[in-house]
Amino acid sequence: MTIETGSSKQRVLSGIQPSGNLTIGNYLGALSQWVKEQHRYESYFCVVDMHAITVPQDPATLREKTREVAALYIASGIDPQVATIFVQSHVPAHAELAWILNCFTPIGWLNRMTQFKDKAAKQQADTVSAGLFNYPVLMAADILLYQAHQVPVGDDQRQHLELTRDVAQRFNYLYGETFVVPEPMIRETGARVMGLDDPTKKMSKSEVDSQYHAVYLLDDLDWASKKIMRAKTDSYTDIRFTNDPERAGVNNLLEIYATITGQPHDAIEAHFAGKGYGVLKREVAEVVVEMLRPLQARYREITSDPAYLDGVLAQGAERASTVAERTLKLVKERVGFLPPYRRP
Ligand code: TYM
């Protein structure tokens, strides 16, 4: 049976946590894909503030970052008239479905999540919240509420997507077809941008140890360029794509260049043949800066008019709620909840 979504287009849903500063990793792995696919799919992009509070957040900063991320969606090229942009906590159905799905998710599945283990290891054991453990179930709820067929994400979300599929299949098996079982949409290059200071670690928006770790989307452009010039490389000389862990730094710079320019690997290797790492870094810095320049100009324009963003988020919450509530109603019926109480 196919699940009725009321649209001829397939659906897409994705989200970013408003924690830390968005990096070029978030842009290349996720945002740029969303922009590219927004016309082909009926798209929903949320700012997942409820995910962000699974680790401690300062309330004022969270509010500020939630708006910043929403503005960055638009600045990156998401058209709010085409795609629905909304804040997760504005649509209570996410929390409600997450609870229900928690009751259908074996603890053993959550125990296998590597992101939980990594994040929990960074905190003192007695401060790790149950929310952090249940995080993947909330993510499953985000996706399944919208009956999303495709979920454009970076490589680090692969395991969460697998869990989402398992939860959907389990629920469908127990109660009949209820959820679309989503597919991950993960690009071939750019799905895992590595840290500039340490190319064995994924570039992350919450890294605090080094100021040379990541290029942030709102970085001053000279500073962004300097960070790329200081990126860790190796003592070899040839410039080529490689899986050799010792050469992960050069490979990372080439991957960034390939993702931004869209050129094939062999053409890029030919272009850099016989040139040194200094040239490679300078050219990578140039393409990154030229990618950020229009994005930052648009960001400044959007944030100069706070009422505009309020309007986008209000309209987004309306549209998202309509879709989410339809799925939630069906799920509540399936599990045996009484119809909504109405005042006599
Ligand atoms: P988050 O906020 O960590 O990251 C947002 C998106 O950016 C991708 N990404 C990267 N891609 C390439 N290279 C990198 N270095 C890099 N770092 C991050 C992530 O894969 C992600 O696509 N759990 C999610 C948020 C979420 C979500 C959802 C995503 C909550 N609900 C529903 C999709 C659908 C997260 O923490 O992403």
Side-chain angles (χ1 to χ4, degrees):
M1 186 185 115
T2 51
I3 290 154
E4 194 45 64
T5 61
S7 166
S8 57
K9 284 183 180 172
Q10 287 207 336
R11 294 231 179 102
V12 146
L13 176 126
S14 201
I16 298 182
Q17 292 192 67
S19 51
N21 297 317
L22 263 57
T23 71
I24 56 169
N26 299 124
Y27 181 84
L28 298 176
L31 272 167
S32 62
Q33 278 209 90
W34 305 359
V35 173
K36 190 163 139 255
E37 302 294 348
Q38 64 183 323
H39 294 278
R40 195 142 70 94
Y41 294 90
E42 184 186 320
S43 304
Y44 296 84
F45 299 121
C46 60
V47 183
V48 291
D49 55 348
M50 287 159 60
H51 278 90
I53 62 161
T54 54
V55 297
Q57 301 290 342
D58 169 65
T61 311
L62 182 62
R63 268 188 287 275
E64 189 189 308
K65 290 289 167 191
T66 302
R67 292 181 70 84
E68 181 179 301
V69 172
L72 279 170
Y73 286 3
I74 306 170
S76 299
I78 304 291
D79 179 348
Q81 297 312 323
V82 173
T84 299
I85 297 175
F86 68 103
V87 175
Q88 185 185 30
S89 65
H90 283 168
V91 183
H94 289 247
E96 286 191 74
L97 183 61
W99 174 256
I100 296 172
L101 296 182
N102 263 313
C103 301
F104 294 90
T105 307
I107 290 177
W109 292 3
L110 295 176
N111 271 331
R112 286 202 290 270
M113 296 293 113
T114 56
Q115 278 214 344
F116 170 72
K117 290 183 202 162
D118 293 348
K119 287 192 182 178
K122 286 187 187 151
Q123 295 181 48
Q124 281 185 322
D126 59 353
T127 64
V128 175
S129 70
L132 190 63
F133 186 66
N134 290 314
Y135 176 117
V137 184
L138 177 58
M139 178 161 163
D142 300 339
I143 297 166
L144 301 180
L145 269 179
Y146 298 87
Q147 307 287 7
H149 301 84
Q150 299 282 336
V151 185
V153 282
D155 179 68
D156 61 333
Q157 297 301 315
R158 211 179 271 279
Q159 197 185 30
H160 289 160
L161 250 298
E162 261 318 303
L163 182 111
T164 302
R165 290 172 54 85
D166 289 346
V167 172
Q169 275 160 347
R170 187 183 177 105
F171 195 96
N172 286 350
Y173 171 76
L174 292 170
Y175 291 106
E177 291 295 314
T178 308
F179 297 123
V180 168
V181 180
E183 298 283 341
M185 185 194 274
I186 300 177
R187 62 191 308 169
E188 278 180 16
T189 46
R192 194 170 183 81
V193 177
M194 307 307 282
L196 297 174
D197 59 333
D198 177 358
T200 63
K201 281 204 321 213
K202 188 195 72 168
M203 184 181 282
S204 153
K205 58 173 137 63
S206 41
E207 173 69 44
V208 286
D209 291 345
S210 162
Q211 53 174 340
Y212 296 105
H213 171 73
V215 170
Y216 300 111
L217 297 183
L218 296 175
D219 264 345
D220 168 80
L221 296 178
D222 286 339
W223 176 224
S225 182
K226 274 205 189 80
K227 288 198 259 191
I228 293 170
M229 294 307 292
R230 284 193 53 141
K232 185 158 186 266
T233 48
D234 53 52
S235 52
Y236 295 82
T237 50
D238 59 325
I239 296 177
R240 59 186 170 79
F241 290 89
T242 165
N243 292 327
D244 181 350
E246 261 190 74
R247 310 205 56 199
V250 168
N251 191 66
N252 190 37
L253 290 171
L254 285 170
E255 289 267 345
I256 293 172
Y257 188 88
T259 316
I260 297 175
T261 63
Q263 290 173 22
H265 287 194
D266 51 356
I268 295 173
E269 286 177 348
H271 173 74
F272 286 113
K275 296 182 181 149
Y277 289 170
V279 174
L280 171 67
K281 288 178 176 177
R282 203 171 327 118
E283 293 202 23
V284 172
E286 266 166 32
V287 296
V288 168
V289 163
E290 290 322 313
M291 171 181 91
L292 296 182
R293 199 188 298 282
L295 186 152
Q296 293 187 359
R298 181 102 182 92
Y299 178 81
R300 283 192 292 270
E301 222 176 274
I302 294 156
T303 49
S304 69
D305 179 5
Y308 168 72
L309 191 61
D310 292 342
V312 167
L313 296 180
Q315 186 194 44
E318 277 293 319
R319 284 200 229 151
S321 295
T322 307
V323 176
E325 276 164 20
R326 203 179 303 140
T327 305
L328 185 63
K329 179 167 178 282
L330 175 65
V331 171
K332 286 180 171 175
E333 280 166 18
R334 294 266 153 109
V335 298
F337 292 172
L338 288 178
Y341 169 77
R342 297 204 195 291
R343 270 174 204 284

PDB file of all heavy atoms in Angstrom, residues 16-46:
ATOM      1  N   ILE A  16      18.636  20.975  11.205  1.00  0.00           N
ATOM      2  CA  ILE A  16      19.957  21.265  11.789  1.00  0.00           C
ATOM      3  C   ILE A  16      19.736  21.768  13.215  1.00  0.00           C
ATOM      4  O   ILE A  16      18.800  22.531  13.485  1.00  0.00           O
ATOM      5  CB  ILE A  16      20.713  22.334  10.948  1.00  0.00           C
ATOM      6  CG1 ILE A  16      20.966  21.800   9.522  1.00  0.00           C
ATOM      7  CG2 ILE A  16      22.043  22.715  11.625  1.00  0.00           C
ATOM      8  CD1 ILE A  16      21.750  22.736   8.615  1.00  0.00           C
ATOM      9  N   GLN A  17      20.605  21.353  14.118  1.00  0.00           N
ATOM     10  CA  GLN A  17      20.504  21.806  15.512  1.00  0.00           C
ATOM     11  C   GLN A  17      21.052  23.219  15.660  1.00  0.00           C
ATOM     12  O   GLN A  17      22.151  23.498  15.181  1.00  0.00           O
ATOM     13  CB  GLN A  17      21.356  20.916  16.404  1.00  0.00           C
ATOM     14  CG  GLN A  17      20.859  19.518  16.538  1.00  0.00           C
ATOM     15  CD  GLN A  17      21.604  18.822  17.653  1.00  0.00           C
ATOM     16  OE1 GLN A  17      21.479  19.159  18.823  1.00  0.00           O
ATOM     17  NE2 GLN A  17      22.388  17.835  17.292  1.00  0.00           N
ATOM     18  N   PRO A  18      20.327  24.078  16.361  1.00  0.00           N
ATOM     19  CA  PRO A  18      20.843  25.437  16.591  1.00  0.00           C
ATOM     20  C   PRO A  18      21.815  25.474  17.763  1.00  0.00           C
ATOM     21  O   PRO A  18      21.625  26.204  18.727  1.00  0.00           O
ATOM     22  CB  PRO A  18      19.571  26.243  16.868  1.00  0.00           C
ATOM     23  CG  PRO A  18      18.636  25.240  17.476  1.00  0.00           C
ATOM     24  CD  PRO A  18      18.978  23.896  16.900  1.00  0.00           C
ATOM     25  N   SER A  19      22.857  24.655  17.645  1.00  0.00           N
ATOM     26  CA  SER A  19      23.874  24.602  18.705  1.00  0.00           C
ATOM     27  C   SER A  19      25.194  24.952  18.041  1.00  0.00           C
ATOM     28  O   SER A  19      25.547  24.363  17.032  1.00  0.00           O
ATOM     29  CB  SER A  19      23.949  23.189  19.284  1.00  0.00           C
ATOM     30  OG  SER A  19      24.088  22.255  18.225  1.00  0.00           O
ATOM     31  N   GLY A  20      25.889  25.933  18.545  1.00  0.00           N
ATOM     32  CA  GLY A  20      27.165  26.329  17.930  1.00  0.00           C
ATOM     33  C   GLY A  20      26.952  27.103  16.637  1.00  0.00           C
ATOM     34  O   GLY A  20      25.830  27.533  16.323  1.00  0.00           O
ATOM     35  N   ASN A  21      28.042  27.258  15.880  1.00  0.00           N
ATOM     36  CA  ASN A  21      27.986  28.024  14.630  1.00  0.00           C
ATOM     37  C   ASN A  21      28.013  27.074  13.443  1.00  0.00           C
ATOM     38  O   ASN A  21      28.859  26.174  13.401  1.00  0.00           O
ATOM     39  CB  ASN A  21      29.199  28.954  14.544  1.00  0.00           C
ATOM     40  CG  ASN A  21      29.186  29.974  15.666  1.00  0.00           C
ATOM     41  OD1 ASN A  21      28.144  30.546  15.991  1.00  0.00           O
ATOM     42  ND2 ASN A  21      30.334  30.180  16.297  1.00  0.00           N
ATOM     43  N   LEU A  22      27.111  27.298  12.488  1.00  0.00           N
ATOM     44  CA  LEU A  22      27.069  26.409  11.328  1.00  0.00           C
ATOM     45  C   LEU A  22      28.378  26.484  10.548  1.00  0.00           C
ATOM     46  O   LEU A  22      28.943  27.568  10.365  1.00  0.00           O
ATOM     47  CB  LEU A  22      25.891  26.773  10.410  1.00  0.00           C
ATOM     48  CG  LEU A  22      24.638  25.910  10.639  1.00  0.00           C
ATOM     49  CD1 LEU A  22      24.166  25.989  12.068  1.00  0.00           C
ATOM     50  CD2 LEU A  22      23.548  26.305   9.686  1.00  0.00           C
ATOM     51  N   THR A  23      28.848  25.321  10.087  1.00  0.00           N
ATOM     52  CA  THR A  23      30.139  25.234   9.391  1.00  0.00           C
ATOM     53  C   THR A  23      29.918  24.961   7.903  1.00  0.00           C
ATOM     54  O   THR A  23      28.809  24.613   7.479  1.00  0.00           O
ATOM     55  CB  THR A  23      30.975  24.057   9.948  1.00  0.00           C
ATOM     56  OG1 THR A  23      30.353  22.833   9.521  1.00  0.00           O
ATOM     57  CG2 THR A  23      31.054  24.077  11.466  1.00  0.00           C
ATOM     58  N   ILE A  24      31.035  25.037   7.150  1.00  0.00           N
ATOM     59  CA  ILE A  24      30.921  24.664   5.732  1.00  0.00           C
ATOM     60  C   ILE A  24      30.603  23.167   5.605  1.00  0.00           C
ATOM     61  O   ILE A  24      30.102  22.739   4.573  1.00  0.00           O
ATOM     62  CB  ILE A  24      32.187  25.031   4.914  1.00  0.00           C
ATOM     63  CG1 ILE A  24      33.447  24.399   5.520  1.00  0.00           C
ATOM     64  CG2 ILE A  24      32.320  26.551   4.783  1.00  0.00           C
ATOM     65  CD1 ILE A  24      34.674  24.509   4.601  1.00  0.00           C
ATOM     66  N   GLY A  25      30.854  22.380   6.656  1.00  0.00           N
ATOM     67  CA  GLY A  25      30.454  20.973   6.648  1.00  0.00           C
ATOM     68  C   GLY A  25      28.928  20.860   6.594  1.00  0.00           C
ATOM     69  O   GLY A  25      28.373  20.109   5.789  1.00  0.00           O
ATOM     70  N   ASN A  26      28.248  21.635   7.428  1.00  0.00           N
ATOM     71  CA  ASN A  26      26.773  21.630   7.412  1.00  0.00           C
ATOM     72  C   ASN A  26      26.254  22.078   6.042  1.00  0.00           C
ATOM     73  O   ASN A  26      25.268  21.559   5.529  1.00  0.00           O
ATOM     74  CB  ASN A  26      26.195  22.568   8.473  1.00  0.00           C
ATOM     75  CG  ASN A  26      26.584  22.198   9.881  1.00  0.00           C
ATOM     76  OD1 ASN A  26      27.146  23.000  10.612  1.00  0.00           O
ATOM     77  ND2 ASN A  26      26.295  20.974  10.291  1.00  0.00           N
ATOM     78  N   TYR A  27      26.937  23.054   5.475  1.00  0.00           N
ATOM     79  CA  TYR A  27      26.486  23.578   4.182  1.00  0.00           C
ATOM     80  C   TYR A  27      26.706  22.545   3.073  1.00  0.00           C
ATOM     81  O   TYR A  27      25.793  22.245   2.304  1.00  0.00           O
ATOM     82  CB  TYR A  27      27.232  24.885   3.848  1.00  0.00           C
ATOM     83  CG  TYR A  27      26.794  25.472   2.538  1.00  0.00           C
ATOM     84  CD1 TYR A  27      25.660  26.274   2.453  1.00  0.00           C
ATOM     85  CD2 TYR A  27      27.502  25.195   1.368  1.00  0.00           C
ATOM     86  CE1 TYR A  27      25.234  26.784   1.238  1.00  0.00           C
ATOM     87  CE2 TYR A  27      27.083  25.694   0.155  1.00  0.00           C
ATOM     88  CZ  TYR A  27      25.950  26.493   0.089  1.00  0.00           C
ATOM     89  OH  TYR A  27      25.527  26.977  -1.121  1.00  0.00           O
ATOM     90  N   LEU A  28      27.927  21.993   3.016  1.00  0.00           N
ATOM     91  CA  LEU A  28      28.240  21.088   1.901  1.00  0.00           C
ATOM     92  C   LEU A  28      27.517  19.748   2.059  1.00  0.00           C
ATOM     93  O   LEU A  28      27.034  19.178   1.085  1.00  0.00           O
ATOM     94  CB  LEU A  28      29.756  20.887   1.777  1.00  0.00           C
ATOM     95  CG  LEU A  28      30.538  22.173   1.472  1.00  0.00           C
ATOM     96  CD1 LEU A  28      32.044  21.899   1.465  1.00  0.00           C
ATOM     97  CD2 LEU A  28      30.109  22.784   0.136  1.00  0.00           C
ATOM     98  N   GLY A  29      27.424  19.255   3.306  1.00  0.00           N
ATOM     99  CA  GLY A  29      26.799  17.958   3.526  1.00  0.00           C
ATOM    100  C   GLY A  29      25.275  18.014   3.467  1.00  0.00           C
ATOM    101  O   GLY A  29      24.639  17.082   2.982  1.00  0.00           O
ATOM    102  N   ALA A  30      24.700  19.103   3.964  1.00  0.00           N
ATOM    103  CA  ALA A  30      23.233  19.147   4.079  1.00  0.00           C
ATOM    104  C   ALA A  30      22.614  20.302   3.285  1.00  0.00           C
ATOM    105  O   ALA A  30      21.981  20.082   2.241  1.00  0.00           O
ATOM    106  CB  ALA A  30      22.847  19.243   5.548  1.00  0.00           C
ATOM    107  N   LEU A  31      22.831  21.522   3.751  1.00  0.00           N
ATOM    108  CA  LEU A  31      22.115  22.682   3.181  1.00  0.00           C
ATOM    109  C   LEU A  31      22.174  22.788   1.657  1.00  0.00           C
ATOM    110  O   LEU A  31      21.151  23.055   1.012  1.00  0.00           O
ATOM    111  CB  LEU A  31      22.713  23.966   3.763  1.00  0.00           C
ATOM    112  CG  LEU A  31      22.103  24.441   5.069  1.00  0.00           C
ATOM    113  CD1 LEU A  31      22.981  25.512   5.703  1.00  0.00           C
ATOM    114  CD2 LEU A  31      20.707  25.016   4.794  1.00  0.00           C
ATOM    115  N   SER A  32      23.353  22.596   1.082  1.00  0.00           N
ATOM    116  CA  SER A  32      23.471  22.779  -0.369  1.00  0.00           C
ATOM    117  C   SER A  32      22.617  21.751  -1.109  1.00  0.00           C
ATOM    118  O   SER A  32      22.100  22.013  -2.196  1.00  0.00           O
ATOM    119  CB  SER A  32      24.932  22.730  -0.819  1.00  0.00           C
ATOM    120  OG  SER A  32      25.474  21.470  -0.530  1.00  0.00           O
ATOM    121  N   GLN A  33      22.483  20.562  -0.526  1.00  0.00           N
ATOM    122  CA  GLN A  33      21.609  19.541  -1.137  1.00  0.00           C
ATOM    123  C   GLN A  33      20.148  19.952  -1.055  1.00  0.00           C
ATOM    124  O   GLN A  33      19.368  19.708  -1.962  1.00  0.00           O
ATOM    125  CB  GLN A  33      21.720  18.244  -0.350  1.00  0.00           C
ATOM    126  CG  GLN A  33      22.875  17.376  -0.651  1.00  0.00           C
ATOM    127  CD  GLN A  33      22.460  15.930  -0.367  1.00  0.00           C
ATOM    128  OE1 GLN A  33      21.957  15.247  -1.251  1.00  0.00           O
ATOM    129  NE2 GLN A  33      22.643  15.487   0.858  1.00  0.00           N
ATOM    130  N   TRP A  34      19.791  20.535   0.085  1.00  0.00           N
ATOM    131  CA  TRP A  34      18.388  20.950   0.270  1.00  0.00           C
ATOM    132  C   TRP A  34      18.028  21.965  -0.801  1.00  0.00           C
ATOM    133  O   TRP A  34      16.948  21.918  -1.396  1.00  0.00           O
ATOM    134  CB  TRP A  34      18.171  21.613   1.630  1.00  0.00           C
ATOM    135  CG  TRP A  34      18.576  20.849   2.844  1.00  0.00           C
ATOM    136  CD1 TRP A  34      19.109  19.587   2.896  1.00  0.00           C
ATOM    137  CD2 TRP A  34      18.469  21.294   4.194  1.00  0.00           C
ATOM    138  NE1 TRP A  34      19.349  19.243   4.193  1.00  0.00           N
ATOM    139  CE2 TRP A  34      18.965  20.264   5.009  1.00  0.00           C
ATOM    140  CE3 TRP A  34      17.992  22.457   4.788  1.00  0.00           C
ATOM    141  CZ2 TRP A  34      19.000  20.367   6.395  1.00  0.00           C
ATOM    142  CZ3 TRP A  34      18.024  22.565   6.166  1.00  0.00           C
ATOM    143  CH2 TRP A  34      18.521  21.536   6.959  1.00  0.00           C
ATOM    144  N   VAL A  35      18.958  22.922  -0.977  1.00  0.00           N
ATOM    145  CA  VAL A  35      18.704  23.994  -1.952  1.00  0.00           C
ATOM    146  C   VAL A  35      18.511  23.391  -3.341  1.00  0.00           C
ATOM    147  O   VAL A  35      17.575  23.738  -4.063  1.00  0.00           O
ATOM    148  CB  VAL A  35      19.885  25.006  -1.950  1.00  0.00           C
ATOM    149  CG1 VAL A  35      19.738  26.023  -3.064  1.00  0.00           C
ATOM    150  CG2 VAL A  35      19.994  25.692  -0.595  1.00  0.00           C
ATOM    151  N   LYS A  36      19.384  22.462  -3.672  1.00  0.00           N
ATOM    152  CA  LYS A  36      19.356  21.867  -5.006  1.00  0.00           C
ATOM    153  C   LYS A  36      18.054  21.086  -5.245  1.00  0.00           C
ATOM    154  O   LYS A  36      17.504  21.089  -6.350  1.00  0.00           O
ATOM    155  CB  LYS A  36      20.569  20.934  -5.129  1.00  0.00           C
ATOM    156  CG  LYS A  36      20.823  20.427  -6.493  1.00  0.00           C
ATOM    157  CD  LYS A  36      22.241  19.886  -6.607  1.00  0.00           C
ATOM    158  CE  LYS A  36      22.247  18.610  -7.402  1.00  0.00           C
ATOM    159  NZ  LYS A  36      22.417  17.391  -6.646  1.00  0.00           N
ATOM    160  N   GLU A  37      17.555  20.422  -4.215  1.00  0.00           N
ATOM    161  CA  GLU A  37      16.421  19.508  -4.404  1.00  0.00           C
ATOM    162  C   GLU A  37      15.068  20.118  -4.032  1.00  0.00           C
ATOM    163  O   GLU A  37      14.051  19.452  -4.145  1.00  0.00           O
ATOM    164  CB  GLU A  37      16.633  18.239  -3.557  1.00  0.00           C
ATOM    165  CG  GLU A  37      17.910  17.485  -3.857  1.00  0.00           C
ATOM    166  CD  GLU A  37      17.926  16.876  -5.258  1.00  0.00           C
ATOM    167  OE1 GLU A  37      16.869  16.846  -5.910  1.00  0.00           O
ATOM    168  OE2 GLU A  37      19.015  16.448  -5.683  1.00  0.00           O
ATOM    169  N   GLN A  38      15.052  21.387  -3.582  1.00  0.00           N
ATOM    170  CA  GLN A  38      13.801  21.922  -3.017  1.00  0.00           C
ATOM    171  C   GLN A  38      12.637  21.977  -4.013  1.00  0.00           C
ATOM    172  O   GLN A  38      11.478  21.909  -3.617  1.00  0.00           O
ATOM    173  CB  GLN A  38      14.021  23.306  -2.391  1.00  0.00           C
ATOM    174  CG  GLN A  38      14.430  24.370  -3.384  1.00  0.00           C
ATOM    175  CD  GLN A  38      14.707  25.717  -2.705  1.00  0.00           C
ATOM    176  OE1 GLN A  38      14.037  26.100  -1.770  1.00  0.00           O
ATOM    177  NE2 GLN A  38      15.703  26.432  -3.183  1.00  0.00           N
ATOM    178  N   HIS A  39      12.957  22.086  -5.317  1.00  0.00           N
ATOM    179  CA  HIS A  39      11.867  22.170  -6.298  1.00  0.00           C
ATOM    180  C   HIS A  39      11.357  20.785  -6.691  1.00  0.00           C
ATOM    181  O   HIS A  39      10.216  20.632  -7.104  1.00  0.00           O
ATOM    182  CB  HIS A  39      12.321  22.940  -7.538  1.00  0.00           C
ATOM    183  CG  HIS A  39      12.610  24.387  -7.233  1.00  0.00           C
ATOM    184  ND1 HIS A  39      11.621  25.331  -7.163  1.00  0.00           N
ATOM    185  CD2 HIS A  39      13.772  25.015  -6.945  1.00  0.00           C
ATOM    186  CE1 HIS A  39      12.159  26.500  -6.852  1.00  0.00           C
ATOM    187  NE2 HIS A  39      13.471  26.335  -6.707  1.00  0.00           N
ATOM    188  N   ARG A  40      12.239  19.795  -6.584  1.00  0.00           N
ATOM    189  CA  ARG A  40      11.871  18.448  -7.013  1.00  0.00           C
ATOM    190  C   ARG A  40      10.990  17.757  -5.971  1.00  0.00           C
ATOM    191  O   ARG A  40      10.190  16.899  -6.286  1.00  0.00           O
ATOM    192  CB  ARG A  40      13.156  17.636  -7.229  1.00  0.00           C
ATOM    193  CG  ARG A  40      12.950  16.377  -8.008  1.00  0.00           C
ATOM    194  CD  ARG A  40      14.111  16.118  -8.948  1.00  0.00           C
ATOM    195  NE  ARG A  40      15.334  15.740  -8.267  1.00  0.00           N
ATOM    196  CZ  ARG A  40      15.693  14.478  -8.051  1.00  0.00           C
ATOM    197  NH1 ARG A  40      14.894  13.484  -8.413  1.00  0.00           N
ATOM    198  NH2 ARG A  40      16.843  14.209  -7.483  1.00  0.00           N
ATOM    199  N   TYR A  41      11.165  18.125  -4.710  1.00  0.00           N
ATOM    200  CA  TYR A  41      10.412  17.483  -3.622  1.00  0.00           C
ATOM    201  C   TYR A  41       9.553  18.502  -2.893  1.00  0.00           C
ATOM    202  O   TYR A  41       9.849  19.690  -2.922  1.00  0.00           O
ATOM    203  CB  TYR A  41      11.387  16.877  -2.600  1.00  0.00           C
ATOM    204  CG  TYR A  41      12.204  15.745  -3.144  1.00  0.00           C
ATOM    205  CD1 TYR A  41      13.434  15.982  -3.747  1.00  0.00           C
ATOM    206  CD2 TYR A  41      11.739  14.434  -3.076  1.00  0.00           C
ATOM    207  CE1 TYR A  41      14.191  14.929  -4.262  1.00  0.00           C
ATOM    208  CE2 TYR A  41      12.488  13.385  -3.578  1.00  0.00           C
ATOM    209  CZ  TYR A  41      13.708  13.633  -4.174  1.00  0.00           C
ATOM    210  OH  TYR A  41      14.448  12.598  -4.668  1.00  0.00           O
ATOM    211  N   GLU A  42       8.511  18.002  -2.213  1.00  0.00           N
ATOM    212  CA  GLU A  42       7.788  18.874  -1.279  1.00  0.00           C
ATOM    213  C   GLU A  42       8.639  18.868  -0.005  1.00  0.00           C
ATOM    214  O   GLU A  42       8.763  17.832   0.653  1.00  0.00           O
ATOM    215  CB  GLU A  42       6.403  18.277  -1.027  1.00  0.00           C
ATOM    216  CG  GLU A  42       5.511  19.127  -0.161  1.00  0.00           C
ATOM    217  CD  GLU A  42       4.204  18.400   0.161  1.00  0.00           C
ATOM    218  OE1 GLU A  42       3.628  17.721  -0.730  1.00  0.00           O
ATOM    219  OE2 GLU A  42       3.782  18.487   1.324  1.00  0.00           O
ATOM    220  N   SER A  43       9.240  20.014   0.303  1.00  0.00           N
ATOM    221  CA  SER A  43      10.309  19.998   1.309  1.00  0.00           C
ATOM    222  C   SER A  43       9.941  20.669   2.628  1.00  0.00           C
ATOM    223  O   SER A  43       9.297  21.722   2.638  1.00  0.00           O
ATOM    224  CB  SER A  43      11.545  20.715   0.760  1.00  0.00           C
ATOM    225  OG  SER A  43      11.944  20.144  -0.449  1.00  0.00           O
ATOM    226  N   TYR A  44      10.412  20.075   3.710  1.00  0.00           N
ATOM    227  CA  TYR A  44      10.232  20.591   5.070  1.00  0.00           C
ATOM    228  C   TYR A  44      11.599  20.661   5.736  1.00  0.00           C
ATOM    229  O   TYR A  44      12.286  19.643   5.840  1.00  0.00           O
ATOM    230  CB  TYR A  44       9.309  19.658   5.875  1.00  0.00           C
ATOM    231  CG  TYR A  44       7.923  19.630   5.276  1.00  0.00           C
ATOM    232  CD1 TYR A  44       7.636  18.779   4.211  1.00  0.00           C
ATOM    233  CD2 TYR A  44       6.942  20.502   5.725  1.00  0.00           C
ATOM    234  CE1 TYR A  44       6.384  18.788   3.608  1.00  0.00           C
ATOM    235  CE2 TYR A  44       5.687  20.515   5.133  1.00  0.00           C
ATOM    236  CZ  TYR A  44       5.424  19.667   4.076  1.00  0.00           C
ATOM    237  OH  TYR A  44       4.194  19.693   3.487  1.00  0.00           O
ATOM    238  N   PHE A  45      11.977  21.877   6.160  1.00  0.00           N
ATOM    239  CA  PHE A  45      13.278  22.047   6.808  1.00  0.00           C
ATOM    240  C   PHE A  45      13.079  22.670   8.174  1.00  0.00           C
ATOM    241  O   PHE A  45      12.554  23.787   8.282  1.00  0.00           O
ATOM    242  CB  PHE A  45      14.196  22.918   5.945  1.00  0.00           C
ATOM    243  CG  PHE A  45      14.459  22.309   4.591  1.00  0.00           C
ATOM    244  CD1 PHE A  45      14.117  22.984   3.425  1.00  0.00           C
ATOM    245  CD2 PHE A  45      15.015  21.040   4.478  1.00  0.00           C
ATOM    246  CE1 PHE A  45      14.330  22.410   2.185  1.00  0.00           C
ATOM    247  CE2 PHE A  45      15.237  20.449   3.240  1.00  0.00           C
ATOM    248  CZ  PHE A  45      14.891  21.146   2.087  1.00  0.00           C
ATOM    249  N   CYS A  46      13.443  21.930   9.213  1.00  0.00           N
ATOM    250  CA  CYS A  46      13.193  22.486  10.539  1.00  0.00           C
ATOM    251  C   CYS A  46      14.493  22.811  11.270  1.00  0.00           C
ATOM    252  O   CYS A  46      15.546  22.247  10.988  1.00  0.00           O
ATOM    253  CB  CYS A  46      12.296  21.578  11.376  1.00  0.00           C
ATOM    254  SG  CYS A  46      12.886  19.954  11.685  1.00  0.00           S
TER     255      CYS A  46
END
